[in-house]
Amino acid sequence: MYNRVVLKLSGEALAAGRGFGVDGDRVHEIAGEIAEVRELGVDVGVVVGGGNFFRGVAEQAREMDRVSADHMGMLATVINALAIQDALEKQGAHARVMSAIEMHEVCEPYIRRRAIRHLEKGRVVIFAAGTGNPYFSTDTAASLRAMEIKADVLLKATKVEGIYDADPVIKTDAVKFEQITYMDILRLGLKVMDTTAVSMCKDNNLPMIIFNMNRPGNIRRVISGEKVGSLVTA
């Protein structure tokens, strides 16, 4: 169904409910699913958040300068990216971490053409450090990288089945959207992604699928074209 995708993972997904740090077993489970998709011949880019360590807009950063806090959050995403790279390589998949903030000793700097070449050679590319700029979320980074590498779709992994008109954890009668437009997300004020990321996807006609990462095999199902999660179109 798709030849090139960008998968957006939250940092919390790597913590596996512990709230902080990296759960080794969970990271290997996620890496196994990514490696399985890569074996199907799909080019895979990954953008990971850093909320399992530090997030610039979180309560823990309330007394901090926003720019310093966001830089700390970017470094947290590099830790997560290295963990995913290690797990992928243990699964037999080739992977590269490319950071928007240069740190030559641990990963490559992000260079668009080099990233595309890695994908063409069958390597999973993990984009770290967000956009490299404060005030921009990793959701915005995922949208940007997806457009830069000309991905067919942006996949956002969450802990719910898709997009609802209310929080399904709080409201049991929340209604799920099988398909929705970016304009409707903005109009209804749905907390799917931040508005900058939504606007970028809308303006560049990039489709997005929101799906439940906690169901094993869902990444493969989405890429195979099965009706999983919620489809967002321009």
Side-chain angles (χ1 to χ4, degrees), residues 106-156:
V106 294
C107 56
E108 297 180 26
Y110 171 69
I111 299 172
R112 174 180 170 269
R113 290 181 181 273
R114 184 181 291 176
I116 291 172
R117 187 60 178 150
H118 283 321
L119 293 168
E120 290 172 346
K121 289 190 172 184
R123 298 165 185 152
V124 177
V125 179
I126 307 157
F127 301 106
T131 65
N133 300 294
Y135 297 98
F136 290 93
S137 70
T138 50
D139 282 345
T140 300
S143 303
L144 177 63
R145 297 293 180 247
M147 288 178 283
E148 286 182 320
I149 67 170
K150 302 189 184 303
D152 300 318
V153 66
L154 173 59
L155 308 178
K156 181 166 183 183

Short mmCIF file of all heavy atoms in Angstrom, two decimals, residues 106-156:
data_model
loop_
_atom_site.label_atom_id
_atom_site.label_comp_id
_atom_site.label_asym_id
_atom_site.label_seq_id
_atom_site.Cartn_x
_atom_site.Cartn_y
_atom_site.Cartn_z
N VAL A 106 28.18 10.20 18.44
CA VAL A 106 27.12 9.22 18.71
C VAL A 106 26.18 9.00 17.53
O VAL A 106 25.50 7.97 17.48
CB VAL A 106 26.30 9.61 19.96
CG1 VAL A 106 27.15 9.55 21.20
CG2 VAL A 106 25.67 10.99 19.81
N CYS A 107 26.08 9.96 16.60
CA CYS A 107 25.16 9.78 15.48
C CYS A 107 25.52 10.74 14.35
O CYS A 107 26.37 11.61 14.51
CB CYS A 107 23.71 10.00 15.93
SG CYS A 107 23.41 11.60 16.70
N GLU A 108 24.87 10.56 13.22
CA GLU A 108 25.12 11.41 12.06
C GLU A 108 24.32 12.71 12.15
O GLU A 108 23.24 12.73 12.73
CB GLU A 108 24.70 10.68 10.78
CG GLU A 108 25.46 9.41 10.48
CD GLU A 108 24.97 8.75 9.18
OE1 GLU A 108 24.45 9.49 8.31
OE2 GLU A 108 25.10 7.53 9.06
N PRO A 109 24.83 13.78 11.56
CA PRO A 109 24.00 14.99 11.44
C PRO A 109 22.92 14.75 10.39
O PRO A 109 23.12 13.96 9.45
CB PRO A 109 25.00 16.05 10.98
CG PRO A 109 26.05 15.29 10.25
CD PRO A 109 26.18 13.96 10.97
N TYR A 110 21.78 15.40 10.55
CA TYR A 110 20.71 15.23 9.57
C TYR A 110 21.05 15.98 8.29
O TYR A 110 21.21 17.20 8.30
CB TYR A 110 19.37 15.73 10.12
CG TYR A 110 18.30 15.75 9.05
CD1 TYR A 110 17.81 14.57 8.51
CD2 TYR A 110 17.85 16.96 8.51
CE1 TYR A 110 16.87 14.57 7.49
CE2 TYR A 110 16.91 16.98 7.50
CZ TYR A 110 16.42 15.78 6.99
OH TYR A 110 15.50 15.80 5.97
N ILE A 111 21.16 15.23 7.21
CA ILE A 111 21.34 15.79 5.87
C ILE A 111 20.32 15.10 4.99
O ILE A 111 20.31 13.87 4.87
CB ILE A 111 22.77 15.55 5.33
CG1 ILE A 111 23.81 16.22 6.24
CG2 ILE A 111 22.89 16.05 3.90
CD1 ILE A 111 25.23 15.87 5.91
N ARG A 112 19.43 15.87 4.41
CA ARG A 112 18.28 15.30 3.70
C ARG A 112 18.69 14.28 2.64
O ARG A 112 18.16 13.18 2.60
CB ARG A 112 17.46 16.42 3.06
CG ARG A 112 16.33 15.93 2.19
CD ARG A 112 15.54 17.08 1.58
NE ARG A 112 14.61 16.58 0.57
CZ ARG A 112 14.90 16.45 -0.72
NH1 ARG A 112 16.11 16.80 -1.15
NH2 ARG A 112 14.01 15.99 -1.57
N ARG A 113 19.61 14.62 1.78
CA ARG A 113 19.99 13.70 0.69
C ARG A 113 20.63 12.42 1.23
O ARG A 113 20.42 11.33 0.67
CB ARG A 113 20.94 14.41 -0.29
CG ARG A 113 20.24 15.48 -1.11
CD ARG A 113 21.19 16.14 -2.10
NE ARG A 113 20.53 17.20 -2.86
CZ ARG A 113 19.86 17.00 -3.98
NH1 ARG A 113 19.75 15.77 -4.46
NH2 ARG A 113 19.29 18.00 -4.61
N ARG A 114 21.38 12.55 2.31
CA ARG A 114 21.99 11.36 2.90
C ARG A 114 20.92 10.47 3.53
O ARG A 114 20.99 9.24 3.44
CB ARG A 114 23.03 11.76 3.95
CG ARG A 114 23.77 10.56 4.55
CD ARG A 114 24.78 11.00 5.60
NE ARG A 114 25.88 11.73 5.00
CZ ARG A 114 26.86 12.29 5.71
NH1 ARG A 114 26.82 12.24 7.04
NH2 ARG A 114 27.84 12.92 5.11
N ALA A 115 19.92 11.10 4.15
CA ALA A 115 18.82 10.33 4.73
C ALA A 115 18.09 9.54 3.65
O ALA A 115 17.77 8.35 3.83
CB ALA A 115 17.85 11.27 5.44
N ILE A 116 17.81 10.18 2.51
CA ILE A 116 17.12 9.50 1.41
C ILE A 116 17.97 8.35 0.89
O ILE A 116 17.46 7.26 0.58
CB ILE A 116 16.78 10.50 0.30
CG1 ILE A 116 15.71 11.48 0.79
CG2 ILE A 116 16.31 9.78 -0.97
CD1 ILE A 116 15.43 12.64 -0.16
N ARG A 117 19.28 8.56 0.82
CA ARG A 117 20.18 7.49 0.35
C ARG A 117 20.17 6.30 1.31
O ARG A 117 20.18 5.15 0.89
CB ARG A 117 21.60 8.05 0.19
CG ARG A 117 22.58 7.07 -0.45
CD ARG A 117 22.13 6.68 -1.84
NE ARG A 117 23.08 5.78 -2.49
CZ ARG A 117 22.72 4.86 -3.38
NH1 ARG A 117 21.45 4.72 -3.73
NH2 ARG A 117 23.63 4.10 -3.94
N HIS A 118 20.17 6.57 2.61
CA HIS A 118 20.07 5.48 3.59
C HIS A 118 18.79 4.67 3.36
O HIS A 118 18.81 3.44 3.39
CB HIS A 118 20.04 6.05 5.01
CG HIS A 118 21.38 6.48 5.53
ND1 HIS A 118 22.55 5.79 5.28
CD2 HIS A 118 21.74 7.54 6.32
CE1 HIS A 118 23.56 6.40 5.87
NE2 HIS A 118 23.10 7.46 6.50
N LEU A 119 17.68 5.37 3.14
CA LEU A 119 16.40 4.68 2.91
C LEU A 119 16.47 3.83 1.65
O LEU A 119 15.99 2.69 1.63
CB LEU A 119 15.27 5.71 2.80
CG LEU A 119 14.94 6.48 4.08
CD1 LEU A 119 14.01 7.65 3.75
CD2 LEU A 119 14.29 5.57 5.11
N GLU A 120 17.07 4.37 0.60
CA GLU A 120 17.18 3.63 -0.66
C GLU A 120 18.03 2.37 -0.51
O GLU A 120 17.84 1.39 -1.22
CB GLU A 120 17.78 4.53 -1.74
CG GLU A 120 16.84 5.65 -2.19
CD GLU A 120 17.51 6.65 -3.11
OE1 GLU A 120 18.75 6.65 -3.19
OE2 GLU A 120 16.79 7.46 -3.72
N LYS A 121 18.96 2.40 0.46
CA LYS A 121 19.80 1.24 0.71
C LYS A 121 19.19 0.26 1.71
O LYS A 121 19.84 -0.70 2.13
CB LYS A 121 21.18 1.70 1.23
CG LYS A 121 22.03 2.36 0.15
CD LYS A 121 23.45 2.57 0.64
CE LYS A 121 24.35 3.06 -0.50
NZ LYS A 121 25.77 3.18 -0.08
N GLY A 122 17.95 0.53 2.10
CA GLY A 122 17.25 -0.41 2.97
C GLY A 122 17.48 -0.20 4.45
O GLY A 122 17.16 -1.09 5.26
N ARG A 123 18.01 0.94 4.83
CA ARG A 123 18.24 1.21 6.25
C ARG A 123 17.07 1.97 6.85
O ARG A 123 16.47 2.82 6.19
CB ARG A 123 19.52 2.05 6.42
CG ARG A 123 20.78 1.34 5.92
CD ARG A 123 21.94 2.31 5.76
NE ARG A 123 23.09 1.63 5.16
CZ ARG A 123 24.01 2.24 4.42
NH1 ARG A 123 23.91 3.54 4.18
NH2 ARG A 123 25.02 1.56 3.93
N VAL A 124 16.76 1.67 8.09
CA VAL A 124 15.77 2.44 8.83
C VAL A 124 16.47 3.71 9.32
O VAL A 124 17.55 3.63 9.91
CB VAL A 124 15.21 1.66 10.03
CG1 VAL A 124 14.24 2.51 10.83
CG2 VAL A 124 14.54 0.38 9.56
N VAL A 125 15.88 4.86 9.07
CA VAL A 125 16.47 6.13 9.50
C VAL A 125 15.66 6.67 10.68
O VAL A 125 14.44 6.84 10.58
CB VAL A 125 16.50 7.16 8.36
CG1 VAL A 125 17.10 8.48 8.86
CG2 VAL A 125 17.30 6.63 7.18
N ILE A 126 16.34 6.91 11.80
CA ILE A 126 15.69 7.43 13.00
C ILE A 126 16.09 8.90 13.14
O ILE A 126 17.26 9.22 13.34
CB ILE A 126 16.11 6.63 14.24
CG1 ILE A 126 15.89 5.14 14.00
CG2 ILE A 126 15.34 7.09 15.47
CD1 ILE A 126 16.73 4.24 14.87
N PHE A 127 15.11 9.77 13.01
CA PHE A 127 15.35 11.21 13.07
C PHE A 127 15.24 11.67 14.51
O PHE A 127 14.19 11.54 15.15
CB PHE A 127 14.34 11.95 12.20
CG PHE A 127 14.35 11.53 10.76
CD1 PHE A 127 13.33 10.75 10.24
CD2 PHE A 127 15.38 11.92 9.92
CE1 PHE A 127 13.33 10.37 8.91
CE2 PHE A 127 15.40 11.53 8.58
CZ PHE A 127 14.37 10.76 8.08
N ALA A 128 16.34 12.22 15.04
CA ALA A 128 16.39 12.63 16.45
C ALA A 128 16.53 14.13 16.58
O ALA A 128 16.82 14.84 15.61
CB ALA A 128 17.57 11.94 17.14
N ALA A 129 16.31 14.63 17.79
CA ALA A 129 16.46 16.04 18.15
C ALA A 129 15.43 16.94 17.48
O ALA A 129 15.67 18.14 17.27
CB ALA A 129 17.88 16.54 17.87
N GLY A 130 14.28 16.39 17.14
CA GLY A 130 13.20 17.20 16.58
C GLY A 130 13.62 17.93 15.32
O GLY A 130 14.27 17.36 14.45
N THR A 131 13.28 19.20 15.24
CA THR A 131 13.71 20.03 14.10
C THR A 131 15.06 20.70 14.39
O THR A 131 15.63 21.34 13.51
CB THR A 131 12.68 21.13 13.79
OG1 THR A 131 12.63 22.04 14.90
CG2 THR A 131 11.30 20.56 13.55
N GLY A 132 15.53 20.57 15.64
CA GLY A 132 16.75 21.27 16.03
C GLY A 132 16.49 22.67 16.54
O GLY A 132 17.42 23.38 16.92
N ASN A 133 15.22 23.07 16.57
CA ASN A 133 14.84 24.41 17.00
C ASN A 133 13.87 24.35 18.17
O ASN A 133 12.98 23.48 18.20
CB ASN A 133 14.16 25.16 15.85
CG ASN A 133 15.06 25.30 14.65
OD1 ASN A 133 16.08 25.97 14.70
ND2 ASN A 133 14.71 24.64 13.55
N PRO A 134 14.01 25.28 19.13
CA PRO A 134 13.03 25.34 20.22
C PRO A 134 11.67 25.79 19.71
O PRO A 134 11.57 26.33 18.61
CB PRO A 134 13.64 26.36 21.19
CG PRO A 134 14.51 27.22 20.32
CD PRO A 134 15.05 26.30 19.26
N TYR A 135 10.63 25.57 20.51
CA TYR A 135 9.25 25.96 20.20
C TYR A 135 8.60 25.10 19.12
O TYR A 135 7.49 25.37 18.70
CB TYR A 135 9.16 27.44 19.79
CG TYR A 135 9.56 28.40 20.89
CD1 TYR A 135 10.84 28.95 20.93
CD2 TYR A 135 8.67 28.74 21.92
CE1 TYR A 135 11.23 29.81 21.95
CE2 TYR A 135 9.04 29.60 22.93
CZ TYR A 135 10.32 30.13 22.95
OH TYR A 135 10.70 30.98 23.95
N PHE A 136 9.28 24.06 18.66
CA PHE A 136 8.69 23.15 17.69
C PHE A 136 8.65 21.75 18.30
O PHE A 136 9.66 21.26 18.80
CB PHE A 136 9.49 23.12 16.38
CG PHE A 136 9.37 24.38 15.58
CD1 PHE A 136 10.29 25.40 15.72
CD2 PHE A 136 8.32 24.54 14.68
CE1 PHE A 136 10.19 26.56 14.98
CE2 PHE A 136 8.21 25.71 13.94
CZ PHE A 136 9.14 26.72 14.09
N SER A 137 7.49 21.11 18.22
CA SER A 137 7.33 19.78 18.82
C SER A 137 7.89 18.69 17.90
O SER A 137 8.19 18.93 16.73
CB SER A 137 5.85 19.51 19.08
OG SER A 137 5.18 19.33 17.83
N THR A 138 7.97 17.47 18.44
CA THR A 138 8.40 16.34 17.61
C THR A 138 7.30 15.95 16.61
O THR A 138 7.60 15.32 15.60
CB THR A 138 8.80 15.13 18.47
OG1 THR A 138 7.78 14.85 19.43
CG2 THR A 138 10.11 15.37 19.19
N ASP A 139 6.04 16.33 16.88
CA ASP A 139 4.99 16.13 15.88
C ASP A 139 5.29 16.97 14.64
O ASP A 139 5.16 16.50 13.50
CB ASP A 139 3.62 16.55 16.44
CG ASP A 139 3.02 15.51 17.36
OD1 ASP A 139 3.51 14.36 17.36
OD2 ASP A 139 2.07 15.83 18.09
N THR A 140 5.70 18.21 14.86
CA THR A 140 6.06 19.08 13.75
C THR A 140 7.29 18.52 13.03
O THR A 140 7.37 18.55 11.79
CB THR A 140 6.35 20.51 14.24
OG1 THR A 140 5.16 21.02 14.87
CG2 THR A 140 6.75 21.43 13.10
N ALA A 141 8.24 18.00 13.80
CA ALA A 141 9.43 17.39 13.19
C ALA A 141 9.04 16.20 12.31
O ALA A 141 9.59 16.03 11.22
CB ALA A 141 10.40 16.93 14.29
N ALA A 142 8.10 15.39 12.79
CA ALA A 142 7.65 14.23 12.00
C ALA A 142 7.01 14.68 10.69
O ALA A 142 7.27 14.11 9.62
CB ALA A 142 6.67 13.40 12.82
N SER A 143 6.19 15.72 10.75
CA SER A 143 5.55 16.25 9.54
C SER A 143 6.61 16.78 8.56
O SER A 143 6.56 16.50 7.36
CB SER A 143 4.58 17.38 9.90
OG SER A 143 3.62 16.95 10.82
N LEU A 144 7.56 17.51 9.10
CA LEU A 144 8.62 18.09 8.27
C LEU A 144 9.47 17.01 7.61
O LEU A 144 9.71 17.05 6.39
CB LEU A 144 9.50 19.00 9.13
CG LEU A 144 10.71 19.65 8.44
CD1 LEU A 144 10.25 20.57 7.32
CD2 LEU A 144 11.55 20.41 9.47
N ARG A 145 9.93 16.04 8.39
CA ARG A 145 10.78 14.97 7.82
C ARG A 145 10.00 14.15 6.79
O ARG A 145 10.56 13.74 5.77
CB ARG A 145 11.30 14.06 8.94
CG ARG A 145 12.20 14.77 9.94
CD ARG A 145 13.51 15.21 9.35
NE ARG A 145 14.35 15.87 10.33
CZ ARG A 145 14.68 17.16 10.30
NH1 ARG A 145 14.24 17.94 9.31
NH2 ARG A 145 15.46 17.69 11.24
N ALA A 146 8.72 13.89 7.05
CA ALA A 146 7.92 13.12 6.10
C ALA A 146 7.85 13.83 4.75
O ALA A 146 7.94 13.19 3.69
CB ALA A 146 6.51 12.90 6.66
N MET A 147 7.70 15.15 4.79
CA MET A 147 7.64 15.90 3.54
C MET A 147 9.01 15.98 2.87
O MET A 147 9.11 15.92 1.64
CB MET A 147 7.05 17.29 3.80
CG MET A 147 5.56 17.23 4.08
SD MET A 147 4.81 18.81 4.44
CE MET A 147 5.32 19.09 6.12
N GLU A 148 10.06 16.12 3.68
CA GLU A 148 11.41 16.25 3.11
C GLU A 148 11.84 14.98 2.39
O GLU A 148 12.50 15.04 1.34
CB GLU A 148 12.41 16.60 4.21
CG GLU A 148 12.31 18.03 4.69
CD GLU A 148 13.34 18.36 5.75
OE1 GLU A 148 13.59 17.50 6.63
OE2 GLU A 148 13.89 19.45 5.71
N ILE A 149 11.51 13.81 2.95
CA ILE A 149 11.93 12.55 2.31
C ILE A 149 10.87 12.02 1.34
O ILE A 149 11.00 10.92 0.82
CB ILE A 149 12.28 11.47 3.36
CG1 ILE A 149 11.04 11.04 4.12
CG2 ILE A 149 13.38 11.97 4.30
CD1 ILE A 149 11.26 9.81 5.00
N LYS A 150 9.79 12.81 1.15
CA LYS A 150 8.70 12.45 0.23
C LYS A 150 8.04 11.14 0.64
O LYS A 150 7.86 10.23 -0.19
CB LYS A 150 9.21 12.40 -1.21
CG LYS A 150 9.81 13.73 -1.68
CD LYS A 150 10.10 13.71 -3.17
CE LYS A 150 10.79 15.01 -3.60
NZ LYS A 150 10.02 16.20 -3.27
N ALA A 151 7.67 11.05 1.90
CA ALA A 151 6.96 9.87 2.40
C ALA A 151 5.54 9.85 1.84
O ALA A 151 4.95 10.89 1.56
CB ALA A 151 6.93 9.87 3.92
N ASP A 152 4.99 8.64 1.68
CA ASP A 152 3.62 8.50 1.19
C ASP A 152 2.60 8.81 2.28
O ASP A 152 1.48 9.23 1.98
CB ASP A 152 3.39 7.07 0.69
CG ASP A 152 4.32 6.70 -0.46
OD1 ASP A 152 4.52 7.56 -1.34
OD2 ASP A 152 4.84 5.58 -0.45
N VAL A 153 2.98 8.58 3.54
CA VAL A 153 2.04 8.76 4.64
C VAL A 153 2.81 8.95 5.94
O VAL A 153 3.93 8.47 6.08
CB VAL A 153 1.09 7.54 4.75
CG1 VAL A 153 1.86 6.28 5.15
CG2 VAL A 153 -0.07 7.79 5.69
N LEU A 154 2.20 9.67 6.87
CA LEU A 154 2.74 9.83 8.22
C LEU A 154 1.91 8.95 9.15
O LEU A 154 0.68 9.07 9.19
CB LEU A 154 2.65 11.30 8.65
CG LEU A 154 3.00 11.64 10.10
CD1 LEU A 154 4.43 11.23 10.42
CD2 LEU A 154 2.80 13.13 10.38
N LEU A 155 2.57 8.06 9.86
CA LEU A 155 1.89 7.17 10.80
C LEU A 155 2.15 7.65 12.22
O LEU A 155 3.30 7.74 12.63
CB LEU A 155 2.40 5.73 10.65
CG LEU A 155 2.39 5.14 9.24
CD1 LEU A 155 2.97 3.73 9.26
CD2 LEU A 155 0.99 5.13 8.65
N LYS A 156 1.09 7.96 12.95
CA LYS A 156 1.27 8.38 14.34
C LYS A 156 0.77 7.29 15.27
O LYS A 156 -0.42 6.98 15.31
CB LYS A 156 0.56 9.70 14.63
CG LYS A 156 0.78 10.12 16.07
CD LYS A 156 0.42 11.55 16.38
CE LYS A 156 0.76 11.83 17.85
NZ LYS A 156 0.39 13.17 18.28
#
